[in-house]
Amino acid sequence: MKRLTGQDRAVTSRWRPATQAVRGGTARSEYGETSEALFLTSGYAYDCAADAAARFAGEQQGMTYSRLQNPTVEMLEKRIALMEGAESARCMATGMAAMTAALLCQLSQGDHIVAGRAAFGSCRWLTDTLLPRFGIETTIVDGTRNDAWAEAIRPNTKLFFFETPANPTLDIVDLAAVCDIAKKAGVLTLVDNAFATPMLQRPMDYGADIVAYSATKMMDGQGRVLAGAVCGPEEFIEKTLLSFTRNTGPTLSAFNAWVVLKGLETLDLRIRRQSENALAVASFLEGRVPRLLYPGLASHPQHALAMAQMQAGGTILSLFVEDRRQAHALLDALELVDISNNIGDSRSLMTHPASTTHAGLSAEVRAEMGVTEGMLRLNVGLEDPLDVIDDLDRALKAAGL
Ligand SMILES: *Cc1c(COP(=O)(O)O)cnc(C)c1O
């Protein structure tokens, strides 16, 4: 009987997502190891000079240099592509390397893009500060309004770029409607899917062209390494993206790829449990704080849309207190939940975006995005949610709530 391998796309694409996350892309060496091997090598040796020449000419299969290919990184790329339902994927050193590469590899002077206003701080720096330096214009829109996307299209518009749910306001973009608007106008869509991961939402099922990740977040999921990925059609990845990344070098280290492979094995379990925990914590906070945003609660303005395109509400919620003083007082009173700006970790972490992740943006941009001085973002981890609730209850009282 033939053993199934994680390399055979005809077989692996029929697997269900949890199976793909454990076994997809796995390639065994001649030792038959069960866990993926970690290939810490920068280069590769050839049997003869003619082989080296043939490999560089692309006439012989095989690897030449780890900026270009690495067996451990390739296993992760195959696994992520499979889970995403993408033809191909390439990993990058960080989520921001993935976003930067996905933008710069295809945009040129004179191009125009449309981006959702609620976005990770560094993503806004790319659209607001970096791209204009190269003559690429961005129109920022309220991503929750479908007609805003349509109205922003110009003859030179190349790309729509957005997150859903967005960091940290948890705005939801209507994937099917916005991807459809883009398609009809001949515009590509680039979706940052870090919050949901393919376990809760696969943007390509709704027509997205390119999906990019910070794998630092839920995919590693235990706060260990930085990593990123770009998924898309083979033509885009192999031609447009690879010539850019192979020559500019935002390569993921084999060690970090190996850690993320281990993380993916438990992604399905973790994201489901953390979403359940987040719902329990959000239900406790509702009514206890002046305002709360969690896509899994009926009080979220786009709850129905979130539940239609996501399998659960995700691990992150935002709560709003009076002002910065009260927000900092709440953080300082926490005993269990860490004050930390990371997300996707199995530990519960809370941050004050206005003074950390979004401090680099102007007060006007923060206000326009909905990042107020009293906003706190909570990543709910794998602890017993009752312990997280106890900690929040005490800290809220200490902060006068
Ligand atoms: C964290 C994050 C990024 C950046 O990823 P890094 O791995 O930290 O570079 C981009 N987008 C979103 C939505 C994120 O949460």
Side-chain angles (χ1 to χ4, degrees), residues 23-61:
R23 290 177 175 272
T26 301
R28 287 195 171 127
S29 79
E30 74 258 39
Y31 295 109
E33 66 281 354
T34 45
S35 174
E36 297 78 1
L38 170 51
F39 290 91
L40 281 181
T41 182
S42 40
Y44 304 87
Y46 313 90
D47 285 340
C48 60
D51 277 2
R55 230 177 268 181
F56 269 78
E59 291 156 4
Q60 185 187 82
Q61 282 241 316

PDB file of all heavy atoms in Angstrom, residues 23-61:
ATOM      1  N   ARG A  23      -0.061  17.887   8.110  1.00  0.00           N
ATOM      2  CA  ARG A  23       0.743  17.067   7.208  1.00  0.00           C
ATOM      3  C   ARG A  23       1.078  17.692   5.859  1.00  0.00           C
ATOM      4  O   ARG A  23       1.963  17.201   5.160  1.00  0.00           O
ATOM      5  CB  ARG A  23       0.009  15.748   6.937  1.00  0.00           C
ATOM      6  CG  ARG A  23      -0.046  14.830   8.145  1.00  0.00           C
ATOM      7  CD  ARG A  23      -0.855  13.588   7.808  1.00  0.00           C
ATOM      8  NE  ARG A  23      -0.844  12.603   8.880  1.00  0.00           N
ATOM      9  CZ  ARG A  23       0.088  11.658   8.999  1.00  0.00           C
ATOM     10  NH1 ARG A  23       1.070  11.559   8.128  1.00  0.00           N
ATOM     11  NH2 ARG A  23       0.037  10.800  10.003  1.00  0.00           N
ATOM     12  N   GLY A  24       0.356  18.756   5.478  1.00  0.00           N
ATOM     13  CA  GLY A  24       0.555  19.344   4.146  1.00  0.00           C
ATOM     14  C   GLY A  24       1.995  19.795   3.934  1.00  0.00           C
ATOM     15  O   GLY A  24       2.599  20.383   4.825  1.00  0.00           O
ATOM     16  N   GLY A  25       2.535  19.513   2.764  1.00  0.00           N
ATOM     17  CA  GLY A  25       3.875  19.986   2.404  1.00  0.00           C
ATOM     18  C   GLY A  25       5.028  19.191   2.968  1.00  0.00           C
ATOM     19  O   GLY A  25       6.184  19.417   2.604  1.00  0.00           O
ATOM     20  N   THR A  26       4.761  18.252   3.889  1.00  0.00           N
ATOM     21  CA  THR A  26       5.863  17.510   4.510  1.00  0.00           C
ATOM     22  C   THR A  26       6.616  16.696   3.472  1.00  0.00           C
ATOM     23  O   THR A  26       6.019  15.984   2.677  1.00  0.00           O
ATOM     24  CB  THR A  26       5.323  16.561   5.600  1.00  0.00           C
ATOM     25  OG1 THR A  26       4.637  17.346   6.574  1.00  0.00           O
ATOM     26  CG2 THR A  26       6.450  15.797   6.278  1.00  0.00           C
ATOM     27  N   ALA A  27       7.948  16.840   3.483  1.00  0.00           N
ATOM     28  CA  ALA A  27       8.803  16.023   2.608  1.00  0.00           C
ATOM     29  C   ALA A  27       9.792  15.300   3.513  1.00  0.00           C
ATOM     30  O   ALA A  27      10.445  15.936   4.337  1.00  0.00           O
ATOM     31  CB  ALA A  27       9.545  16.908   1.629  1.00  0.00           C
ATOM     32  N   ARG A  28       9.861  13.980   3.402  1.00  0.00           N
ATOM     33  CA  ARG A  28      10.785  13.241   4.273  1.00  0.00           C
ATOM     34  C   ARG A  28      12.135  13.031   3.594  1.00  0.00           C
ATOM     35  O   ARG A  28      12.202  12.777   2.403  1.00  0.00           O
ATOM     36  CB  ARG A  28      10.177  11.879   4.618  1.00  0.00           C
ATOM     37  CG  ARG A  28       9.047  12.044   5.602  1.00  0.00           C
ATOM     38  CD  ARG A  28       8.633  10.744   6.267  1.00  0.00           C
ATOM     39  NE  ARG A  28       7.691  11.081   7.327  1.00  0.00           N
ATOM     40  CZ  ARG A  28       6.491  10.541   7.463  1.00  0.00           C
ATOM     41  NH1 ARG A  28       6.096   9.576   6.650  1.00  0.00           N
ATOM     42  NH2 ARG A  28       5.700  10.923   8.437  1.00  0.00           N
ATOM     43  N   SER A  29      13.191  13.113   4.383  1.00  0.00           N
ATOM     44  CA  SER A  29      14.524  12.807   3.852  1.00  0.00           C
ATOM     45  C   SER A  29      14.699  11.292   3.833  1.00  0.00           C
ATOM     46  O   SER A  29      13.781  10.550   4.213  1.00  0.00           O
ATOM     47  CB  SER A  29      15.602  13.438   4.735  1.00  0.00           C
ATOM     48  OG  SER A  29      15.782  12.639   5.889  1.00  0.00           O
ATOM     49  N   GLU A  30      15.867  10.827   3.445  1.00  0.00           N
ATOM     50  CA  GLU A  30      16.097   9.379   3.365  1.00  0.00           C
ATOM     51  C   GLU A  30      16.057   8.721   4.742  1.00  0.00           C
ATOM     52  O   GLU A  30      16.005   7.503   4.837  1.00  0.00           O
ATOM     53  CB  GLU A  30      17.426   9.075   2.651  1.00  0.00           C
ATOM     54  CG  GLU A  30      18.663   9.351   3.478  1.00  0.00           C
ATOM     55  CD  GLU A  30      19.360  10.653   3.109  1.00  0.00           C
ATOM     56  OE1 GLU A  30      18.661  11.653   2.836  1.00  0.00           O
ATOM     57  OE2 GLU A  30      20.600  10.654   3.122  1.00  0.00           O
ATOM     58  N   TYR A  31      16.039   9.518   5.823  1.00  0.00           N
ATOM     59  CA  TYR A  31      15.987   8.924   7.166  1.00  0.00           C
ATOM     60  C   TYR A  31      14.561   8.611   7.620  1.00  0.00           C
ATOM     61  O   TYR A  31      14.359   7.970   8.637  1.00  0.00           O
ATOM     62  CB  TYR A  31      16.672   9.854   8.181  1.00  0.00           C
ATOM     63  CG  TYR A  31      18.140   9.997   7.903  1.00  0.00           C
ATOM     64  CD1 TYR A  31      18.660  11.186   7.407  1.00  0.00           C
ATOM     65  CD2 TYR A  31      19.020   8.928   8.090  1.00  0.00           C
ATOM     66  CE1 TYR A  31      19.999  11.321   7.120  1.00  0.00           C
ATOM     67  CE2 TYR A  31      20.367   9.048   7.802  1.00  0.00           C
ATOM     68  CZ  TYR A  31      20.850  10.244   7.316  1.00  0.00           C
ATOM     69  OH  TYR A  31      22.179  10.353   7.026  1.00  0.00           O
ATOM     70  N   GLY A  32      13.588   9.096   6.892  1.00  0.00           N
ATOM     71  CA  GLY A  32      12.205   8.782   7.244  1.00  0.00           C
ATOM     72  C   GLY A  32      11.727   9.413   8.532  1.00  0.00           C
ATOM     73  O   GLY A  32      10.841   8.886   9.212  1.00  0.00           O
ATOM     74  N   GLU A  33      12.287  10.581   8.888  1.00  0.00           N
ATOM     75  CA  GLU A  33      11.877  11.255  10.136  1.00  0.00           C
ATOM     76  C   GLU A  33      10.373  11.572  10.121  1.00  0.00           C
ATOM     77  O   GLU A  33       9.825  11.877   9.075  1.00  0.00           O
ATOM     78  CB  GLU A  33      12.692  12.551  10.350  1.00  0.00           C
ATOM     79  CG  GLU A  33      12.452  13.657   9.332  1.00  0.00           C
ATOM     80  CD  GLU A  33      13.188  13.446   8.015  1.00  0.00           C
ATOM     81  OE1 GLU A  33      13.990  12.509   7.908  1.00  0.00           O
ATOM     82  OE2 GLU A  33      12.911  14.221   7.073  1.00  0.00           O
ATOM     83  N   THR A  34       9.722  11.463  11.297  1.00  0.00           N
ATOM     84  CA  THR A  34       8.293  11.774  11.352  1.00  0.00           C
ATOM     85  C   THR A  34       8.077  13.292  11.371  1.00  0.00           C
ATOM     86  O   THR A  34       7.239  13.812  10.644  1.00  0.00           O
ATOM     87  CB  THR A  34       7.628  11.147  12.591  1.00  0.00           C
ATOM     88  OG1 THR A  34       8.462  11.392  13.707  1.00  0.00           O
ATOM     89  CG2 THR A  34       7.425   9.653  12.410  1.00  0.00           C
ATOM     90  N   SER A  35       8.841  13.996  12.226  1.00  0.00           N
ATOM     91  CA  SER A  35       8.708  15.456  12.282  1.00  0.00           C
ATOM     92  C   SER A  35       9.566  16.067  11.172  1.00  0.00           C
ATOM     93  O   SER A  35      10.612  15.529  10.807  1.00  0.00           O
ATOM     94  CB  SER A  35       9.175  15.945  13.655  1.00  0.00           C
ATOM     95  OG  SER A  35       9.200  17.345  13.692  1.00  0.00           O
ATOM     96  N   GLU A  36       9.123  17.206  10.650  1.00  0.00           N
ATOM     97  CA  GLU A  36       9.826  17.859   9.554  1.00  0.00           C
ATOM     98  C   GLU A  36      11.280  18.136   9.930  1.00  0.00           C
ATOM     99  O   GLU A  36      11.566  18.612  11.027  1.00  0.00           O
ATOM    100  CB  GLU A  36       9.153  19.191   9.191  1.00  0.00           C
ATOM    101  CG  GLU A  36       7.730  19.057   8.692  1.00  0.00           C
ATOM    102  CD  GLU A  36       6.717  18.840   9.807  1.00  0.00           C
ATOM    103  OE1 GLU A  36       7.110  18.812  10.997  1.00  0.00           O
ATOM    104  OE2 GLU A  36       5.525  18.703   9.484  1.00  0.00           O
ATOM    105  N   ALA A  37      12.198  17.890   9.001  1.00  0.00           N
ATOM    106  CA  ALA A  37      13.622  18.136   9.258  1.00  0.00           C
ATOM    107  C   ALA A  37      13.926  19.625   9.151  1.00  0.00           C
ATOM    108  O   ALA A  37      13.292  20.350   8.386  1.00  0.00           O
ATOM    109  CB  ALA A  37      14.467  17.361   8.255  1.00  0.00           C
ATOM    110  N   LEU A  38      14.899  20.048   9.950  1.00  0.00           N
ATOM    111  CA  LEU A  38      15.346  21.442   9.929  1.00  0.00           C
ATOM    112  C   LEU A  38      16.654  21.506   9.147  1.00  0.00           C
ATOM    113  O   LEU A  38      17.685  20.993   9.599  1.00  0.00           O
ATOM    114  CB  LEU A  38      15.526  21.938  11.377  1.00  0.00           C
ATOM    115  CG  LEU A  38      16.209  23.273  11.608  1.00  0.00           C
ATOM    116  CD1 LEU A  38      15.604  24.380  10.765  1.00  0.00           C
ATOM    117  CD2 LEU A  38      16.134  23.634  13.082  1.00  0.00           C
ATOM    118  N   PHE A  39      16.607  22.083   7.970  1.00  0.00           N
ATOM    119  CA  PHE A  39      17.791  22.182   7.111  1.00  0.00           C
ATOM    120  C   PHE A  39      18.452  23.542   7.321  1.00  0.00           C
ATOM    121  O   PHE A  39      18.108  24.513   6.645  1.00  0.00           O
ATOM    122  CB  PHE A  39      17.407  21.999   5.642  1.00  0.00           C
ATOM    123  CG  PHE A  39      16.995  20.595   5.296  1.00  0.00           C
ATOM    124  CD1 PHE A  39      15.668  20.206   5.371  1.00  0.00           C
ATOM    125  CD2 PHE A  39      17.951  19.659   4.902  1.00  0.00           C
ATOM    126  CE1 PHE A  39      15.286  18.905   5.055  1.00  0.00           C
ATOM    127  CE2 PHE A  39      17.578  18.353   4.582  1.00  0.00           C
ATOM    128  CZ  PHE A  39      16.239  17.970   4.663  1.00  0.00           C
ATOM    129  N   LEU A  40      19.395  23.595   8.273  1.00  0.00           N
ATOM    130  CA  LEU A  40      20.137  24.832   8.497  1.00  0.00           C
ATOM    131  C   LEU A  40      21.331  24.832   7.557  1.00  0.00           C
ATOM    132  O   LEU A  40      22.419  24.388   7.920  1.00  0.00           O
ATOM    133  CB  LEU A  40      20.574  24.930   9.949  1.00  0.00           C
ATOM    134  CG  LEU A  40      19.515  25.386  10.950  1.00  0.00           C
ATOM    135  CD1 LEU A  40      20.096  25.462  12.353  1.00  0.00           C
ATOM    136  CD2 LEU A  40      18.922  26.742  10.570  1.00  0.00           C
ATOM    137  N   THR A  41      21.109  25.280   6.353  1.00  0.00           N
ATOM    138  CA  THR A  41      22.197  25.367   5.378  1.00  0.00           C
ATOM    139  C   THR A  41      21.974  26.596   4.512  1.00  0.00           C
ATOM    140  O   THR A  41      20.841  26.894   4.139  1.00  0.00           O
ATOM    141  CB  THR A  41      22.272  24.098   4.505  1.00  0.00           C
ATOM    142  OG1 THR A  41      23.387  24.236   3.621  1.00  0.00           O
ATOM    143  CG2 THR A  41      21.007  23.844   3.691  1.00  0.00           C
ATOM    144  N   SER A  42      23.062  27.306   4.235  1.00  0.00           N
ATOM    145  CA  SER A  42      22.906  28.458   3.337  1.00  0.00           C
ATOM    146  C   SER A  42      23.097  28.041   1.890  1.00  0.00           C
ATOM    147  O   SER A  42      22.516  28.633   0.991  1.00  0.00           O
ATOM    148  CB  SER A  42      23.854  29.590   3.719  1.00  0.00           C
ATOM    149  OG  SER A  42      25.103  29.088   4.080  1.00  0.00           O
ATOM    150  N   GLY A  43      23.928  26.993   1.650  1.00  0.00           N
ATOM    151  CA  GLY A  43      24.194  26.606   0.260  1.00  0.00           C
ATOM    152  C   GLY A  43      23.954  25.130   0.011  1.00  0.00           C
ATOM    153  O   GLY A  43      23.521  24.387   0.902  1.00  0.00           O
ATOM    154  N   TYR A  44      24.202  24.716  -1.217  1.00  0.00           N
ATOM    155  CA  TYR A  44      24.002  23.328  -1.658  1.00  0.00           C
ATOM    156  C   TYR A  44      25.186  22.938  -2.529  1.00  0.00           C
ATOM    157  O   TYR A  44      25.739  23.778  -3.256  1.00  0.00           O
ATOM    158  CB  TYR A  44      22.677  23.220  -2.443  1.00  0.00           C
ATOM    159  CG  TYR A  44      21.521  23.735  -1.605  1.00  0.00           C
ATOM    160  CD1 TYR A  44      21.196  25.091  -1.606  1.00  0.00           C
ATOM    161  CD2 TYR A  44      20.833  22.897  -0.731  1.00  0.00           C
ATOM    162  CE1 TYR A  44      20.198  25.593  -0.782  1.00  0.00           C
ATOM    163  CE2 TYR A  44      19.828  23.389   0.092  1.00  0.00           C
ATOM    164  CZ  TYR A  44      19.510  24.733   0.064  1.00  0.00           C
ATOM    165  OH  TYR A  44      18.543  25.224   0.887  1.00  0.00           O
ATOM    166  N   ALA A  45      25.605  21.658  -2.458  1.00  0.00           N
ATOM    167  CA  ALA A  45      26.743  21.196  -3.255  1.00  0.00           C
ATOM    168  C   ALA A  45      26.247  20.405  -4.462  1.00  0.00           C
ATOM    169  O   ALA A  45      25.159  19.822  -4.421  1.00  0.00           O
ATOM    170  CB  ALA A  45      27.650  20.326  -2.395  1.00  0.00           C
ATOM    171  N   TYR A  46      27.025  20.400  -5.507  1.00  0.00           N
ATOM    172  CA  TYR A  46      26.658  19.749  -6.770  1.00  0.00           C
ATOM    173  C   TYR A  46      27.622  18.591  -7.042  1.00  0.00           C
ATOM    174  O   TYR A  46      28.796  18.652  -6.661  1.00  0.00           O
ATOM    175  CB  TYR A  46      26.727  20.763  -7.921  1.00  0.00           C
ATOM    176  CG  TYR A  46      26.033  22.071  -7.588  1.00  0.00           C
ATOM    177  CD1 TYR A  46      26.742  23.123  -6.987  1.00  0.00           C
ATOM    178  CD2 TYR A  46      24.676  22.234  -7.814  1.00  0.00           C
ATOM    179  CE1 TYR A  46      26.106  24.308  -6.642  1.00  0.00           C
ATOM    180  CE2 TYR A  46      24.037  23.422  -7.477  1.00  0.00           C
ATOM    181  CZ  TYR A  46      24.752  24.461  -6.889  1.00  0.00           C
ATOM    182  OH  TYR A  46      24.129  25.627  -6.545  1.00  0.00           O
ATOM    183  N   ASP A  47      27.132  17.568  -7.717  1.00  0.00           N
ATOM    184  CA  ASP A  47      27.986  16.420  -8.013  1.00  0.00           C
ATOM    185  C   ASP A  47      29.071  16.771  -9.037  1.00  0.00           C
ATOM    186  O   ASP A  47      30.154  16.205  -9.020  1.00  0.00           O
ATOM    187  CB  ASP A  47      27.144  15.243  -8.550  1.00  0.00           C
ATOM    188  CG  ASP A  47      26.358  14.582  -7.420  1.00  0.00           C
ATOM    189  OD1 ASP A  47      26.750  14.775  -6.241  1.00  0.00           O
ATOM    190  OD2 ASP A  47      25.349  13.906  -7.697  1.00  0.00           O
ATOM    191  N   CYS A  48      28.766  17.672  -9.931  1.00  0.00           N
ATOM    192  CA  CYS A  48      29.774  18.051 -10.940  1.00  0.00           C
ATOM    193  C   CYS A  48      29.460  19.468 -11.437  1.00  0.00           C
ATOM    194  O   CYS A  48      28.362  19.997 -11.202  1.00  0.00           O
ATOM    195  CB  CYS A  48      29.781  17.065 -12.110  1.00  0.00           C
ATOM    196  SG  CYS A  48      28.201  16.986 -12.973  1.00  0.00           S
ATOM    197  N   ALA A  49      30.399  20.060 -12.126  1.00  0.00           N
ATOM    198  CA  ALA A  49      30.256  21.439 -12.606  1.00  0.00           C
ATOM    199  C   ALA A  49      29.073  21.565 -13.566  1.00  0.00           C
ATOM    200  O   ALA A  49      28.352  22.574 -13.566  1.00  0.00           O
ATOM    201  CB  ALA A  49      31.545  21.893 -13.290  1.00  0.00           C
ATOM    202  N   ALA A  50      28.874  20.521 -14.364  1.00  0.00           N
ATOM    203  CA  ALA A  50      27.766  20.569 -15.334  1.00  0.00           C
ATOM    204  C   ALA A  50      26.419  20.630 -14.612  1.00  0.00           C
ATOM    205  O   ALA A  50      25.486  21.292 -15.072  1.00  0.00           O
ATOM    206  CB  ALA A  50      27.820  19.356 -16.258  1.00  0.00           C
ATOM    207  N   ASP A  51      26.329  19.917 -13.449  1.00  0.00           N
ATOM    208  CA  ASP A  51      25.093  19.965 -12.662  1.00  0.00           C
ATOM    209  C   ASP A  51      24.847  21.384 -12.143  1.00  0.00           C
ATOM    210  O   ASP A  51      23.713  21.878 -12.154  1.00  0.00           O
ATOM    211  CB  ASP A  51      25.175  19.009 -11.461  1.00  0.00           C
ATOM    212  CG  ASP A  51      24.818  17.574 -11.845  1.00  0.00           C
ATOM    213  OD1 ASP A  51      24.546  17.338 -13.047  1.00  0.00           O
ATOM    214  OD2 ASP A  51      24.813  16.711 -10.950  1.00  0.00           O
ATOM    215  N   ALA A  52      25.904  22.010 -11.649  1.00  0.00           N
ATOM    216  CA  ALA A  52      25.770  23.382 -11.141  1.00  0.00           C
ATOM    217  C   ALA A  52      25.266  24.293 -12.253  1.00  0.00           C
ATOM    218  O   ALA A  52      24.332  25.081 -12.067  1.00  0.00           O
ATOM    219  CB  ALA A  52      27.108  23.880 -10.595  1.00  0.00           C
ATOM    220  N   ALA A  53      25.857  24.162 -13.428  1.00  0.00           N
ATOM    221  CA  ALA A  53      25.455  24.995 -14.570  1.00  0.00           C
ATOM    222  C   ALA A  53      24.000  24.722 -14.942  1.00  0.00           C
ATOM    223  O   ALA A  53      23.223  25.648 -15.183  1.00  0.00           O
ATOM    224  CB  ALA A  53      26.373  24.731 -15.757  1.00  0.00           C
ATOM    225  N   ALA A  54      23.623  23.447 -14.952  1.00  0.00           N
ATOM    226  CA  ALA A  54      22.258  23.074 -15.346  1.00  0.00           C
ATOM    227  C   ALA A  54      21.245  23.608 -14.340  1.00  0.00           C
ATOM    228  O   ALA A  54      20.153  24.056 -14.696  1.00  0.00           O
ATOM    229  CB  ALA A  54      22.140  21.557 -15.464  1.00  0.00           C
ATOM    230  N   ARG A  55      21.635  23.567 -13.050  1.00  0.00           N
ATOM    231  CA  ARG A  55      20.702  24.056 -12.027  1.00  0.00           C
ATOM    232  C   ARG A  55      20.524  25.571 -12.122  1.00  0.00           C
ATOM    233  O   ARG A  55      19.424  26.085 -11.976  1.00  0.00           O
ATOM    234  CB  ARG A  55      21.202  23.662 -10.641  1.00  0.00           C
ATOM    235  CG  ARG A  55      20.090  23.003  -9.855  1.00  0.00           C
ATOM    236  CD  ARG A  55      20.527  22.526  -8.528  1.00  0.00           C
ATOM    237  NE  ARG A  55      20.983  21.143  -8.562  1.00  0.00           N
ATOM    238  CZ  ARG A  55      21.399  20.488  -7.493  1.00  0.00           C
ATOM    239  NH1 ARG A  55      21.430  21.087  -6.325  1.00  0.00           N
ATOM    240  NH2 ARG A  55      21.784  19.241  -7.583  1.00  0.00           N
ATOM    241  N   PHE A  56      21.616  26.266 -12.380  1.00  0.00           N
ATOM    242  CA  PHE A  56      21.502  27.724 -12.538  1.00  0.00           C
ATOM    243  C   PHE A  56      20.722  28.077 -13.797  1.00  0.00           C
ATOM    244  O   PHE A  56      20.038  29.090 -13.843  1.00  0.00           O
ATOM    245  CB  PHE A  56      22.890  28.386 -12.546  1.00  0.00           C
ATOM    246  CG  PHE A  56      23.320  28.802 -11.167  1.00  0.00           C
ATOM    247  CD1 PHE A  56      23.814  27.863 -10.268  1.00  0.00           C
ATOM    248  CD2 PHE A  56      23.191  30.116 -10.747  1.00  0.00           C
ATOM    249  CE1 PHE A  56      24.180  28.229  -8.973  1.00  0.00           C
ATOM    250  CE2 PHE A  56      23.554  30.497  -9.458  1.00  0.00           C
ATOM    251  CZ  PHE A  56      24.053  29.551  -8.581  1.00  0.00           C
ATOM    252  N   ALA A  57      20.809  27.231 -14.804  1.00  0.00           N
ATOM    253  CA  ALA A  57      20.080  27.491 -16.054  1.00  0.00           C
ATOM    254  C   ALA A  57      18.612  27.106 -15.932  1.00  0.00           C
ATOM    255  O   ALA A  57      17.829  27.326 -16.849  1.00  0.00           O
ATOM    256  CB  ALA A  57      20.729  26.713 -17.194  1.00  0.00           C
ATOM    257  N   GLY A  58      18.258  26.500 -14.782  1.00  0.00           N
ATOM    258  CA  GLY A  58      16.872  26.089 -14.588  1.00  0.00           C
ATOM    259  C   GLY A  58      16.535  24.813 -15.344  1.00  0.00           C
ATOM    260  O   GLY A  58      15.366  24.458 -15.497  1.00  0.00           O
ATOM    261  N   GLU A  59      17.565  24.106 -15.795  1.00  0.00           N
ATOM    262  CA  GLU A  59      17.328  22.876 -16.563  1.00  0.00           C
ATOM    263  C   GLU A  59      17.329  21.651 -15.653  1.00  0.00           C
ATOM    264  O   GLU A  59      16.956  20.557 -16.073  1.00  0.00           O
ATOM    265  CB  GLU A  59      18.416  22.704 -17.637  1.00  0.00           C
ATOM    266  CG  GLU A  59      18.313  23.741 -18.745  1.00  0.00           C
ATOM    267  CD  GLU A  59      19.632  23.983 -19.464  1.00  0.00           C
ATOM    268  OE1 GLU A  59      20.630  23.291 -19.148  1.00  0.00           O
ATOM    269  OE2 GLU A  59      19.650  24.885 -20.332  1.00  0.00           O
ATOM    270  N   GLN A  60      17.821  21.805 -14.429  1.00  0.00           N
ATOM    271  CA  GLN A  60      17.853  20.683 -13.496  1.00  0.00           C
ATOM    272  C   GLN A  60      17.157  21.119 -12.213  1.00  0.00           C
ATOM    273  O   GLN A  60      17.376  22.221 -11.728  1.00  0.00           O
ATOM    274  CB  GLN A  60      19.311  20.316 -13.187  1.00  0.00           C
ATOM    275  CG  GLN A  60      19.455  19.091 -12.323  1.00  0.00           C
ATOM    276  CD  GLN A  60      20.921  18.882 -11.920  1.00  0.00           C
ATOM    277  OE1 GLN A  60      21.416  19.502 -10.971  1.00  0.00           O
ATOM    278  NE2 GLN A  60      21.610  18.014 -12.646  1.00  0.00           N
ATOM    279  N   GLN A  61      16.295  20.245 -11.706  1.00  0.00           N
ATOM    280  CA  GLN A  61      15.595  20.529 -10.459  1.00  0.00           C
ATOM    281  C   GLN A  61      16.601  20.535  -9.316  1.00  0.00           C
ATOM    282  O   GLN A  61      17.549  19.750  -9.326  1.00  0.00           O
ATOM    283  CB  GLN A  61      14.579  19.420 -10.208  1.00  0.00           C
ATOM    284  CG  GLN A  61      13.332  19.564 -11.054  1.00  0.00           C
ATOM    285  CD  GLN A  61      12.108  19.732 -10.190  1.00  0.00           C
ATOM    286  OE1 GLN A  61      11.951  19.039  -9.200  1.00  0.00           O
ATOM    287  NE2 GLN A  61      11.256  20.663 -10.547  1.00  0.00           N
TER     288      GLN A  61
END
